[in-house]
Amino acid sequence: EVELQTDGNRSGHLQNGELGESFLHPVNEEVIRIIAAQLAEIGDQFDKEIKARVVNDLVQHFLNENLSGEEITRRMSEAVEGLARAIPSDMEREKAMLVLAMVLTKKIANTMPSLLQRVFRTTVNYISQQLHNYIVRMVSAVKQ
């Protein structure tokens, strides 16, 4: 498992005494930069369209310590899917959902910085569960 550090570097963890899968398949850093730039541009457009009410509702769910991680991920998924319905049909739905999840994460963390760790973990879980195959296809497409 590789984690992105605040300075943009990655740090690896050993899993069962072995290097994580990411180290077995090196990723071209330039590919990641290209994808990140594209997603950031889309995110800037979406940022203006996300209503404060959606963010505040999610903040309240994250503040509710009685909700399980699965329940919070489900609430995040519902918010992303609801926002994705309003996205123009010329954009890939998965790309829109990926960017919306990241923009929501940023907005929640900006609204309530103390939630950063919980919202980040939830977003990573959501992306891993819902969008993993899309990300693999997107990286493969840029490599070619």
Side-chain angles (χ1 to χ4, degrees), residues 7-8 13-14 17 32 35 40 43 57-58 73 100 116 119 128 131:
D7 63 1
H13 294 282
L14 295 178
I32 300 302
I35 292 170
D57 287 350
L58 281 172
T73 301
L100 286 166
L116 177 61
V119 73
S128 295
L131 301 166

Side-chain angles (χ1 to χ4, degrees), residues 84-98:
R85 284 189 214 102
I87 300 303
S89 60
D90 63 337
M91 179 178 293
E92 292 176 86
R93 179 171 168 78
E94 291 93 347
K95 183 181 281 185
M97 292 173 66
L98 176 62

Side-chain angles (χ1 to χ4, degrees), residues 59-109:
V59 166
Q60 293 308 308
H61 292 307
F62 277 100
L63 287 171
N64 183 349
E65 294 182 15
N66 294 324
L67 292 180
S68 69
E70 287 179 1
E71 179 64 17
I72 295 218
T73 301
R74 188 179 68 75
R75 301 285 176 117
M76 171 74 88
S77 180
E78 289 171 355
V80 169
E81 288 174 16
L83 291 166
R85 284 189 214 102
I87 300 303
S89 60
D90 63 337
M91 179 178 293
E92 292 176 86
R93 179 171 168 78
E94 291 93 347
K95 183 181 281 185
M97 292 173 66
L98 176 62
V99 174
L100 286 166
M102 292 187 290
V103 172
L104 278 173
T105 299
K106 175 185 165 191
K107 286 181 155 298
I108 292 167

